[in-house]
Structure formats: structure tokens, C-alpha cells
């Protein structure tokens, strides 16, 4: 797959379908706008698929696993061996994300794009590019060709799976470090403002993490206007593949759910490569990581949930899928005023403006 061809294939949302969904929302037997984000999501989904009536029945979590050479700098409290073990456990419904996916009946694909050892578990899809990235504190994480390969793997996987909606997750010790580095460069923000403690660090470890990210950016000099350059120099195979999955979902006109911090950074990479793609994204939960909020601001998106979550893996996606199902159910099955036998003439004046918000109260 040619990356530029992929990018050019991603269109804006279908305005006609969105107008039809908005018109139907106005006809449903309820005060205008009273179902809030559910109404907005139903309209967005109509624009994504080009259809007024949609059903979110087949939901699929894509998890990309890879190791990061920067772990050798002591930026993570968790041993790198956990990447392998949790990659396997994801296929056995033993991790947070996979337990939720199993509970709700979501399919899950776990894809190895760069774990630093061979994985013998056949349920893990083997798309390994290399045995982990290089240490970004000393030089580029990967070659430019490897970054493009990772993006392509993610895009092709998303396009090949039969699903009504996707969620994008990851597994890779050290990837809050690489994500913070990518975000710092793309948004031209100080490392301090986008870097959190990940899965937990002492004060000394946290200082070391920020110092290593600053060093990596200084040494590699990634070009902020070239996403592939940023990913290849300070990113990871997982982030690049996730970026591709966001693009692939958008190209195939399916809604795609952003998980937490790393997923949000990958989504931002996809949106920088193709601004149209961001219209297909739906954030799940507000990550506890400070950089997440900067990524959301840049994407002009607002998460659905505020749950204090910071696990990753795609753990927020199964929860968000349920909200997407609800949004479609409302548009499909709720009675209109006519069907409910209600004369809605009393709403004419209210519909002329916002008659519900109390100023100064939110």
C-alpha cells in the first residue's frame, strides 16, 4: 500500500447523511439536544458511514505490541519482559482491556510489530518489523522505511477486518516515553508539559525520563512538519502502526475509538498526515497522563468518560463501543413526535435558540 494513496483516499464526512441524522434528531420525541453527546455521535456516525441508520454490532479492538530501546535508560519502572507476557495475556482475556472485550463480546486482534523476542503464541499476529526499536537517546528509533512499513501494517489490518467500529490500543513498556517525545515535537511543547509518570516512577526516575526525552529530541532533531520523520526518530513501532490503523479505519469509513495517551498521540499523528481522518475519531476516556489533554486540544476532541484511567492496552474502547451502540439505537428506534402522538408546536420558539443553558452554570 502506498501511504500517499491511502491518505488521499480518506474523504470528509458525508454532509448529506449528517444533515439527515440531524433532522431526524430534531423530530424525535424529546427536548432539543436533551441526549447531548449521544445525538452528536449518531450524527457523526452517519457522516462516517454515509447512512442515516447504523448498527454497531461488530466491534473490534486492535492492539499493537512492540518494545522500545529507550527502556535501557531507566525510564520505566516495569521490566521490559512484561511486554511479551502481556502481549500473550491479551489473547487469553487476562488483561484489563481483554477482560472488558470478552465481557462485552468485542473481538480482539493482538499484532506484534516489534516485540524484542519471538512469540510462540499462535493467537498473536506476527507482523514483526524488528526486535524492538533502537535507543532514541542515542539515535533514531528506526529507519524511515521501517516507520512507513509500520504505518502500512496498521492501515492494512484495519482495512482487512470486518467490523462496524474499531478501537486502537497498544502494549509496549517504555511507550509513554516515546509518545511524550512525539507529542512534544508535533506540538512544539516543552517536555515538562507533556510527560507523565507512566505506570509509576520515583521522583528520580521521573526526572531521568524527562531528561532522556529532551536528549532524544536534541540528538535526533525530528522535523515537526514531517510526521514520518518524527515517528522514525523518536517514536515506536507500536505508535506508527496505531497511526496506520486510524488511517485505515477512516479510509474504510468506520468509526475508530481513541483509547488513552499513547492512542491519542497515534491519532494525532494520523490527523497530521491526513486532517480528514480526525473526523472519524471518537475518544473514549480522559487519560490520567498530562500529555493526553494536549493531544485532545490539538485534535479538537473531547473524551466521553472521566474515569481516572491510565492503563492503556485499549481498555477504554470496550466502554466507548457501548456508547456508540446507544447513540445508534436512539436514532434508529426512538419514536418521533408524530409516532408518539405528541404535537410538537410548543417547541417552535424553543428551537430558535438555546433555551436550556443557565448562564454561569455548567
Amino acid at each position: 500500500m502506498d501511504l500517499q494513496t491511502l491518505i488521499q483516499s480518506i474523504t470528509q464526512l458525508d454532509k448529506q447523511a449528517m444533515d439527515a441524522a440531524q433532522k431526524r434528531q430534531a423530530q424525535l420525541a424529546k427536548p432539543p439536544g436533551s441526549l447531548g453527546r449521544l445525538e452528536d455521535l449518531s450524527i457523526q456516525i452517519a457522516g462516517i458511514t454515509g447512512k442515516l441508520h447504523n448498527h454497531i454490532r461488530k466491534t473490534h479492538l486492535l492492539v499493537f505490541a512492540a518494545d522500545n530501546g529507550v527502556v535501557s535508560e531507566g525510564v520505566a519502572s516495569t521490566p521490559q519482559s512484561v511486554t511479551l507476557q502481556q502481549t500473550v495475556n491479551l489473547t487469553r482475556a487476562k488483561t484489563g482491556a481483554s477482560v472488558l472485550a470478552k465481557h462485552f463480546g468485542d473481538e480482539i486482534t493482538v499484532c506484534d510489530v516489534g516485540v524484542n523476542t519471538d512469540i510462540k503464541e499462535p493467537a498473536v499476529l506476527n507482523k514483526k518489523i524488528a526486535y524492538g526499536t533502537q535507543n532514541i537517546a542515542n539515535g533514531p528509533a528506526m529507519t524511515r522505511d521501517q516507520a512507513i512499513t509500520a504505518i502500512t501494517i496498521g492501515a492494512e489490518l484495519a482495512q482487512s477486518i470486518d467490523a462496524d467500529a474499531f478501537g486502537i490500543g497498544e502494549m509496549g513498556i517504555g511507550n509513554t516515553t516515546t509518545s511524550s517525545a512525539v507529542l512534544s515535537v508535533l506540538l512544539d511543547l516543552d517536555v515538562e508539559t507533556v510527560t507523565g509518570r507512566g505506570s509509576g516512577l520515583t521522583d528520580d526516575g521521573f526526572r531521568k525520563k524527562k531528561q532522556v526525552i529532551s536528549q532524544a529530541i536534541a540528538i535526533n532533531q525530528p522535523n515537526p512538519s514531517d510526521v514520518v520523520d518524527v515517528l522514525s526518530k523518536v517514536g515506536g513501532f507500536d505508535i506508527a502502526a496505531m497511526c496506520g490503523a486510524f488511517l485505515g479505519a477512516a479510509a474504510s469509513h468506520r468509526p475508530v475509538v481513541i483509547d488513552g495517551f499513547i492512542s491519542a498521540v497515534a491519532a494525532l499523528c494520523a490527523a497530521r498526515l491526513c486532517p480528514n481522518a480526525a473526523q472519524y475519531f471518537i475518544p473514549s476516556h480522559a487519560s490520567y497522563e498530562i500529555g493526553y489533554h494536549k493531544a485532545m486540544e490539538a485534535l479538537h476532541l473531547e473524551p466521553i468518560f472521566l474515569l481516572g484511567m491510565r492503563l492503556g492496552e485499549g481498555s477504554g474502547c470496550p466502554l466507548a463501543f457501548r456508547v456508540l451502540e446507544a447513540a445508534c439505537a436512539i436514532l434508529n428506534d426512538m419514536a418521533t413526535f408524530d409516532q408518539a402522538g405528541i404535537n410538537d408546536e410548543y417547541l417552535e420558539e424553543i428551537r430558535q435558540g438555546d433555551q436550556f443553558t443557565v448562564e454561569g452554570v455548567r
Side-chain angles (χ1 to χ4, degrees):
M1 179 189 296
D2 176 74
L3 180 57
Q4 199 57 40
T5 300
L6 170 67
I7 291 169
Q8 291 173 351
S9 73
I10 299 172
T11 62
Q12 293 188 7
L13 301 191
D14 187 319
K15 189 176 185 303
Q16 186 173 354
M18 294 177 74
D19 288 345
Q22 191 163 24
K23 181 179 179 180
R24 177 165 172 80
Q25 282 289 356
Q27 295 170 342
L28 298 180
K30 57 180 173 54
S34 58
L35 284 174
R37 290 288 296 277
L38 292 180
E39 297 187 24
D40 297 338
L41 288 168
S42 72
I43 294 167
Q44 181 183 1
I45 293 169
I48 289 170
T49 65
K51 299 183 296 182
L52 172 60
H53 295 289
N54 293 281
H55 300 275
I56 305 295
R57 295 188 177 119
K58 297 178 182 178
T59 45
H60 204 111
L61 180 59
L62 299 177
V63 182
F64 297 93
D67 276 306
N68 300 281
V70 72
V71 167
S72 65
E73 297 291 331
V75 296
S77 61
T78 307
Q80 192 172 62
S81 59
V82 173
T83 300
L84 168 62
Q85 193 57 54
Q86 288 294 78
T87 298
V88 172
N89 287 336
L90 275 158
T91 68
R92 299 175 179 174
K94 298 297 184 184
T95 76
S98 56
V99 163
L100 289 169
K102 180 181 179 181
H103 176 76
F104 289 114
D106 305 318
E107 295 293 323
I108 182 170
T109 296
V110 183
C111 180
D112 169 18
V113 286
V115 180
N116 69 351
T117 188
D118 291 319
I119 299 179
K120 298 179 182 179
E121 171 56 63
V124 175
L125 180 63
N126 182 8
K127 295 288 184 179
K128 194 188 300 289
I129 300 165
Y131 291 91
T133 55
Q134 300 300 306
N135 182 356
I136 61 173
N138 299 328
M142 65 191 86
T143 67
R144 186 178 182 89
D145 283 347
Q146 285 177 322
I148 293 173
T149 297
I151 294 170
T152 301
I153 287 170
E156 290 180 342
L157 186 58
Q159 289 183 297
S160 68
I161 291 173
D162 179 19
D164 299 318
F166 288 108
I168 310 299
E170 41 61 42
M171 175 50 60
I173 303 306
N175 59 13
T176 61
T177 297
T178 50
S179 296
S180 296
V182 169
L183 188 61
S184 175
V185 173
L186 290 181
L187 299 186
D188 191 25
L189 293 173
D190 291 339
V191 169
E192 292 272 351
T193 66
V194 296
T195 306
R197 293 178 184 259
S199 58
L201 284 171
T202 64
D203 289 344
D204 286 342
F206 190 33
R207 281 191 291 270
K208 174 71 171 178
K209 179 179 181 178
K210 290 182 283 189
Q211 181 269 318
V212 166
I213 294 170
S214 297
Q215 179 179 325
I217 294 171
I219 287 175
N220 289 293
Q221 292 293 299
N223 179 358
S225 63
D226 183 348
V227 171
V228 176
D229 187 63
V230 177
L231 286 169
S232 68
K233 288 179 175 175
V234 296
F237 292 131
D238 50 356
I239 304 172
M242 294 163 77
C243 168
F246 280 110
L247 294 173
S252 55
H253 296 278
R254 268 89 63 86
V256 56
V257 175
I258 300 170
D259 181 40
F261 174 51
I262 296 122
S263 187
V265 171
L268 179 62
C269 290
R272 287 292 176 89
L273 284 170
C274 178
N276 282 344
Q279 300 173 55
Y280 294 78
F281 303 165
I282 299 167
S284 56
H285 65 286
S287 170
Y288 198 81
E289 284 284 307
I290 61 171
Y292 172 88
H293 305 284
K294 300 296 184 183
M296 285 296 106
E297 288 174 10
L299 286 164
H300 306 292
L301 296 175
E302 185 177 346
I304 297 170
F305 304 119
L306 182 60
L307 298 172
M309 293 172 63
R310 56 180 182 272
L311 175 62
E313 301 178 6
S315 52
C317 301
L319 304 177
F321 289 152
R322 314 295 68 93
V323 177
L324 303 191
E325 292 171 4
C328 291
I330 288 295
L331 194 69
N332 293 338
D333 301 329
M334 191 171 175
T336 64
F337 283 102
D338 284 345
Q339 291 168 336
I342 299 172
N343 185 335
D344 65 342
E345 290 181 0
Y346 72 95
L347 287 173
E348 287 307 311
E349 186 175 353
I350 292 174
R351 284 173 174 151
Q352 301 309 309
D354 181 0
Q355 303 296 325
F356 301 96
T357 301
V358 177
E359 289 188 14
V361 178
R362 186 175 179 184

